[in-house]
Amino acid sequence: QVQLVESGGGLVQAGGSLRLSCTASGRTYTMGWFRQAPGKEREFVATIAWGGRYYADSVKGRFTISRDNAKNTVYLQMNSLKPEDTAVYYCAAATISTTDRTGSVFEYWGQGTQVTISS
């Protein structure tokens, strides 16, 4: 069983930046971030695996996902933040290589970290 621990959420003004971190207690293959805003369904943000990095269109060019394999940690650098980025951000991990954007194949999930962007 792999546990994921997230950190880095908070409150910033529009146009600001935040960096989220997620450390896994074991080895994983694909790691990524999903988010869920109040009253909305969970949505894909970004994933990273050996094969590449994938982004939702809504964050492309503003968010960067990266990974430190030695630390089993994935990061999400979020720049030019907008009020519509406000959500609980969840780290997810899979033991397979996947480009899934639904979250259904990710076996492990973090507890979530709140990101709030004020206008």
Side-chain angles (χ1 to χ4, degrees), residues 67-82:
R67 183 170 184 169
D68 185 334
N69 291 318
K71 297 181 179 179
N72 290 334
T73 298
V74 65
Y75 304 96
L76 186 67
Q77 178 66 43
M78 305 185 293
N79 298 328
S80 302
L81 285 160
K82 304 175 182 180

Side-chain angles (χ1 to χ4, degrees), residues 89-112:
Y89 283 69
Y90 295 93
C91 177
T95 54
I96 60 172
S97 175
T98 180
T99 57
D100 171 66
R101 296 187 176 210
T102 69
S104 61
V105 301
F106 286 82
E107 302 127 290
Y108 306 107
W109 292 83
Q111 79 283 1

Side-chain angles (χ1 to χ4, degrees), residues 44-80:
F44 165 79
V45 176
T47 55
I48 185 169
W50 300 111
R53 310 178 191 199
Y54 305 89
Y55 297 94
D57 288 343
S58 60
V59 306
K60 200 172 294 183
R62 300 188 297 122
F63 291 11
T64 301
I65 190 168
S66 61
R67 183 170 184 169
D68 185 334
N69 291 318
K71 297 181 179 179
N72 290 334
T73 298
V74 65
Y75 304 96
L76 186 67
Q77 178 66 43
M78 305 185 293
N79 298 328
S80 302

